[in-house]
Amino acid sequence: AAPGAIAVWEYRSEKPFFIDLETGQPTGVFNLPPLPPRAMQFTDMRSGVAIFNGMGVAVTTDGGNTWKPAQDAGSDRIAVGA
């Protein structure tokens, strides 16, 4: 889901929480938009894409510290890792 972490949604939860893959402990290091994400994929430690309710697709190039709507990211195409 994110660099070094996995997103976990509890049953009937709108917002995920993140688990650090090395420690297994909850982590709050991601600066997500206030709208709940529905899916997230990172292609490396810095580049990622997420789908947010009410916002659509957003991208990050700094490991999730900041997010931009995909149409503001400077490209009309988005590639997601296979």
Side-chain angles (χ1 to χ4, degrees), residues 25-81:
Q25 298 298 313
T27 182
V29 298
F30 303 103
N31 185 18
L32 295 172
L35 302 167
R38 288 294 174 201
M40 191 177 302
Q41 174 73 43
F42 278 77
T43 58
D44 57 37
M45 292 298 286
R46 299 188 62 74
S47 303
V49 62
I51 301 172
F52 292 90
N53 282 352
M55 179 181 177
V57 177
V59 295
T60 183
T61 57
D62 59 9
N65 289 316
T66 59
W67 294 87
K68 293 181 182 180
Q71 63 268 23
D72 295 342
S75 175
D76 60 352
R77 293 181 1 147
I78 298 171
V80 178

